[in-house]
Amino acid sequence: MSTMPLYEEAAGRRRAPLRRLVSGLEPYLYIAPSVVLIAVIMLVPLTIGLSYAFRDMQLINPFSGGFVGLEHFRTLWTDAAFWLSMRNTLVWTLASVVLQFAFGLVLALLLNNSFPGRGVIQALVFLPWAVPTFLSGLNWAWLFNPVVGPLPHWMAALGILPAPENILSDPHLAIWGPIVANVWWGIPFFAITLLAALQSIPQDIYEAAAIDGAGAWRRFIDITLPFLAPTIAITVMLRTIWIANFADLIIVMTNGGPADQTQIVSSYIFTQAFRRLDFGYASAIAMVLLGLLLAYSFVIILMRQSLLRR
Amino acid sequence: MASIDIQGVGKSYGAVPVLHEVDLSIQDGEFVVLVGPSGCGKSTLLRMIAGLEGITRGDIRIAGRVVNELAPKDRDIAMVFQSYALYPHMTVRDNMSYSLKLRGTPSERMAQVVNAAAAKLGLESFLDRKPRTLSGGQRQRVAMGRSIVRKPKAFLFDEPLSNLDARLREQMRVEIKKLHRELGTTSIYVTHDQVEAMTLADRIVAMNAGAVQQVGTPLDLYERPTNLFVASFIGSPAINVLDGTLHGDGERRFVALGSGETMPVSDRIQGRDGQAVRVGVRPEDVQVSTRGEGDHTGQIELVEPMGLGTILHIRTVSSALKAFVLERAHYQIGTDVAFSLPAPKLHIFDAQTGQRLPDQAVSP
Ligand SMILES: Nc1ncnc2c1ncn2[C@@H]1O[C@H](COP(=O)(O)OP(=O)(O)OP(=O)(O)O)[C@@H](O)[C@H]1O
Ligand SMILES: [Mg+2]
């Protein structure tokens, strides 16, 4: 600006509002490419998908597609199968996350000590993560099958089951089949992330605490946990959302059955959309699930922030 | 407060020996400084006393009790780490009171003790801050405060000042010394800075390659170094070392240097005629004269003014040596000077073993 010749001053003044506009827009122009990309790739399909929730979309009915307003949501409100799937989602998510986290933490603490053969064990521990979910679902389905798998016989021998039967066909127990498979499959995630966090804790802080008079348990409570807290918060939040949406194992192992007893919301959406081909209704359920998970993430992020600020 | 006894202590990592046969007795209330070059095992010894490293051989006693198998928390000692190792998620107050809290001290008593320590260290206004918001010097004080609040049997310091700038180091050095005089707690202090060692210590333990070289008061080590290592490690600017041969023809004893020059040495030095020796002479003991009064001559090669005095680098026919002079005379590079090396100030070491040659005064 300072190099502008004097005789152009008038012209410069006339262009000033335009210049101000351009310089005001400048930052937005820089982020425009990513905004456009996000909009095209994520927001557009999302909006179209959500719009189905208010329309009558049935693949087998070529005359469907009309706007039905809140009709789907009214149906949903009285749909017993939906409410059952909500309850199942809660059990499925809570049990899976808690067990995965607990075993993952124990494993990470064990792997954080050095012992001979640690490298090999570490690699083995992370193996389940590399197994495709469908394969592990099939595997576990066979393990629970009394004809080919050992688990029912072992559980019967231990007195957990009255007889060596397939728990996947027991309406009350079936949900625990996919939960066990999910825990087995998901432990490595917690083990990896928590181990990484553990290894970032400076050793001399433990030494200082030991000299200050803290035994192993106090060191865990006063040093390890506070250092792990942010990682725990973020991983638990991520896993909760993934697991709540994670229908693969259920579809493979029980297909939501017997009699919709193991249906979680996302598998119910899958069933509505791809088995009953009712995309409109499926979208309405998906929209409810989205709202719930958004609310959940929001709460967790607030909690994490207040934790970090402390 | 307590005495610390180290008897025949050794340490190996696998097959690699790091400490050999360390014997050391530290009296109640004594301030002992472990000094030595990097990697000589000072920290390892300190950490063994603290209980952070296992003991391969020998015994360590604190207040007469063998502590080899005792966990750090049961040894009742405090340690200040080089990295300070403050708890980053706790406030300064919590950092300082953590050890008291673990011992179940009532909270009024705890607040009282922490406030007193904070006042002593000038930390009152930082008590509610997190360590990451403090400067290096302030963190160092917190680390000290954390160790003084519980009146331990002994303080262990592992290079506590090495992350501070020269000015602050000097200041903290004085504060540590004052603190020790006030509290009188047995202290072991590790450093590789020989000025810190000289100024703080009641006794210095000079270590090299995992073995104790000499134990004694700072002046002992400075004036009667037991071997070449101690002689060259203690003192700044470093001692001059000249190669020569010891001769004795009847009454007179002298050292012949490679160039053929000779210098008289004290008659009391015990040694064979023709023994290869190394002669140590401290820079401040080299007597330089610009008027040609001296037994040796050389040329000034470099001048380093230090404020307090001047370091002259003198090149002679066969060797180079440093002289530290106090007078402000204006020495020109390239001028010829004469200097003499007074016999009583020479340290004579065996060239092979590096050990100081015994002198008669000691053996009657
Ligand atoms: N865990 C370990 N495994 C193998 N060798 C080790 C281990 N810890 C230390 N050492 C070796 O022991 C020797 C002494 O180490 P130490 O830390 O005691 O040195 P230091 O005297 O404190 O040195 P500095 O002044 O650099 O701190 C070093 O040679 C080091 O390589
Ligand atoms: Mg060290």
Side-chain angles (χ1 to χ4, degrees):
Chain A
M1 291 294 270
S2 58
T3 57
M4 192 181 282
L6 279 175
Y7 50 79
E8 269 191 24
E9 209 181 349
R13 204 181 296 140
R14 222 183 305 127
R15 277 215 308 270
L18 183 63
R19 265 178 182 283
R20 219 177 307 130
L21 186 70
V22 169
S23 60
L25 277 180
E26 197 180 340
Y28 299 99
L29 289 176
Y30 289 137
I31 60 164
S34 37
V35 170
V36 168
L37 259 175
I38 291 174
V40 170
I41 293 175
M42 292 177 61
L43 295 183
V44 168
L46 185 70
T47 322
I48 294 176
L50 289 180
S51 77
Y52 290 174
F54 306 97
R55 292 163 63 189
D56 176 29
M57 294 284 294
Q58 305 206 26
L59 277 200
I60 42 167
N61 182 358
F63 300 108
S64 65
F67 182 76
V68 295
L70 295 178
E71 183 58 38
H72 289 318
F73 294 96
R74 254 172 256 132
T75 319
L76 199 58
W77 190 251
T78 53
D79 182 350
F82 168 73
W83 288 110
L84 178 63
S85 73
M86 285 283 269
R87 225 197 59 204
N88 282 342
T89 306
L90 218 63
V91 173
W92 156 257
T93 310
L94 206 71
S96 301
V97 171
V98 167
L99 292 174
Q100 281 182 5
F101 171 73
F103 285 117
L105 179 61
V106 169
L107 211 56
L109 289 172
L110 289 178
L111 287 175
N112 197 31
N113 300 312
S114 57
F115 53 85
R118 169 170 150 188
V120 177
I121 305 260
Q122 207 159 330
L124 284 180
V125 158
F126 299 148
L127 204 61
W129 195 242
V131 177
T133 46
F134 271 82
L135 271 188
S136 62
L138 286 174
N139 250 325
W140 279 97
W142 285 337
L143 285 173
F144 281 120
N145 184 336
V147 181
V148 288
L151 289 184
H153 305 283
W154 291 351
M155 286 192 287
L158 287 172
I160 302 170
L161 285 181
E165 281 160 2
N166 193 342
I167 63 163
L168 296 180
S169 49
D170 179 329
H172 300 293
L173 292 178
I175 188 81
W176 290 97
I179 287 176
V180 168
N182 190 15
V183 169
W184 176 82
W185 186 76
I187 286 174
F189 171 83
F190 279 106
I192 295 171
T193 45
L194 292 176
L195 183 59
L198 278 176
Q199 283 172 347
S200 74
I201 306 177
Q203 204 53 40
D204 54 6
I205 293 184
Y206 284 111
E207 294 179 344
I211 287 176
D212 265 351
W217 174 247
R218 292 254 38 125
R219 292 203 292 274
F220 177 73
I221 296 292
D222 294 336
I223 311 261
T224 311
L225 277 188
F227 267 89
L228 288 187
T231 311
I232 292 177
I234 199 84
T235 49
V236 165
M237 179 192 84
L238 283 176
R239 284 305 287 169
T240 306
I241 292 174
W242 283 344
I243 289 173
N245 278 323
F246 183 51
D248 310 24
L249 286 172
I250 291 183
I251 299 285
V252 173
M253 291 177 72
T254 66
N255 208 353
D260 278 346
Q261 283 302 311
T262 60
Q263 207 74 272
I264 64 169
V265 175
S266 61
S267 68
Y268 192 51
I269 296 170
F270 180 87
T271 308
Q272 288 298 338
F274 298 103
R275 294 251 148 73
R276 299 184 193 149
L277 300 179
D278 188 345
F279 274 62
Y281 192 49
S283 289
I285 309 173
M287 200 164 155
V288 171
L289 183 60
L290 178 71
L292 289 176
L293 290 179
L294 275 181
Y296 168 80
S297 325
F298 192 67
V299 170
I300 292 282
I301 286 175
L302 282 185
M303 271 166 54
R304 180 167 189 271
Q305 233 132 43
S306 72
L307 206 79
L308 281 182
R309 221 176 295 119
R310 253 202 305 124
Chain B
M1 280 194 270
S3 63
I4 298 176
D5 270 303
I6 299 169
Q7 279 175 353
V9 160
K11 172 80 183 173
S12 310
Y13 287 108
V16 187
V18 171
L19 284 178
H20 321 274
E21 286 295 306
V22 174
D23 286 304
L24 189 60
S25 248
I26 297 163
Q27 258 117 63
D28 190 4
E30 202 174 11
F31 199 113
V32 166
V33 174
L34 302 182
V35 65
S38 191
C40 71
K42 309 177 297 281
S43 299
T44 305
L45 182 57
L46 198 73
R47 292 165 56 82
M48 284 161 82
I49 298 170
L52 298 173
E53 299 279 353
I55 298 169
T56 314
R57 285 177 301 281
D59 284 327
I60 294 181
R61 285 188 177 76
I62 299 178
R65 175 175 175 211
V66 177
V67 295
N68 288 23
E69 301 301 325
L70 220 54
K73 74 184 179 81
D74 301 319
R75 295 192 183 192
D76 193 21
I77 35 97
M79 182 156 170
V80 178
F81 292 78
Q82 179 174 1
S83 60
Y84 314 141
L86 300 177
Y87 311 123
H89 54 291
M90 299 185 194
T91 60
V92 169
R93 188 193 306 280
D94 292 341
N95 263 281
M96 285 170 65
S97 58
Y98 185 58
S99 60
L100 301 176
K101 202 178 92 190
L102 290 174
R103 281 167 178 72
T105 316
S107 53
E108 317 85 71
R109 171 93 190 113
M110 212 153 72
Q112 200 181 334
V113 172
V114 168
N115 287 336
K120 189 170 287 170
L121 293 163
L123 285 172
E124 295 109 318
S125 47
F126 306 121
L127 277 176
D128 292 313
R129 290 187 20 194
K130 293 278 175 64
R132 89 179 101 82
T133 68
L134 301 181
S135 74
Q138 290 158 353
R139 287 179 207 187
Q140 214 284 329
R141 280 164 211 269
V142 177
M144 302 258 299
R146 185 170 65 177
S147 41
I148 63 175
V149 287
R150 64 187 161 95
K151 296 222 188 315
K153 287 206 185 90
F155 288 133
L156 309 179
F157 298 88
D158 193 356
E159 308 200 20
L161 306 185
S162 58
N163 289 339
L164 305 180
D165 69 47
R167 209 32 196 277
L168 202 52
R169 202 148 61 206
E170 207 175 293
Q171 187 187 336
M172 288 309 296
R173 201 172 74 205
V174 173
E175 287 189 29
I176 289 177
K177 189 153 191 169
K178 274 191 195 151
L179 212 59
H180 179 250
R181 291 195 51 187
E182 231 171 281
L183 304 174
T185 308
T186 315
S187 304
I188 306 181
Y189 187 106
V190 164
T191 179
H192 53 233
D193 179 327
Q194 43 109 3
V195 179
E196 259 168 49
M198 296 286 287
T199 50
L200 283 172
D202 290 329
R203 277 194 304 157
I204 296 183
V205 178
M207 292 178 63
N208 189 28
V212 172
Q213 306 290 318
Q214 187 173 3
V215 183
T217 64
L219 283 183
D220 262 355
L221 267 73
Y222 192 77
E223 287 173 350
R224 293 190 54 83
T226 176
N227 56 29
L228 257 178
F229 168 79
V230 178
S232 35
F233 193 79
I234 304 282
S236 168
I239 198 165
N240 298 297
V241 179
L242 308 169
D243 289 312
T245 322
L246 185 67
H247 291 288
D249 52 348
E251 293 293 282
R252 233 167 52 82
R253 284 183 159 266
F254 63 93
V255 169
L257 299 180
S259 60
E261 288 176 284
T262 62
M263 53 184 154
V265 297
S266 157
D267 304 338
R268 299 199 298 254
I269 297 291
Q270 304 280 292
R272 285 176 288 108
D273 187 38
Q275 186 173 7
V277 293
R278 311 194 73 185
V279 180
V281 54
R282 298 231 173 252
E284 68 269 27
D285 293 333
V286 178
Q287 290 173 356
V288 180
S289 150
T290 40
R291 289 185 304 261
E293 300 157 2
D295 311 329
H296 308 272
T297 56
Q299 201 174 41
I300 294 183
E301 204 177 32
L302 192 71
V303 177
E304 293 181 279
M306 300 236 305
L308 172 65
T310 306
I311 303 173
L312 303 177
H313 293 245
I314 302 173
R315 170 149 290 281
T316 68
V317 192
S318 60
S319 55
L321 82 176
K322 285 177 297 213
F324 183 78
V325 292
L326 277 177
E327 70 265 28
R328 292 276 156 79
H330 196 64
Y331 292 95
Q332 288 286 343
I333 292 179
T335 50
D336 289 325
V337 287
F339 61 92
S340 51
L341 305 171
K345 302 282 193 183
L346 299 182
H347 308 273
I348 318 281
F349 303 98
D350 182 89
Q352 256 105 55
T353 62
Q355 294 300 316
R356 186 187 190 86
L357 291 189
D359 64 30
Q360 222 169 17
V362 182
S363 54

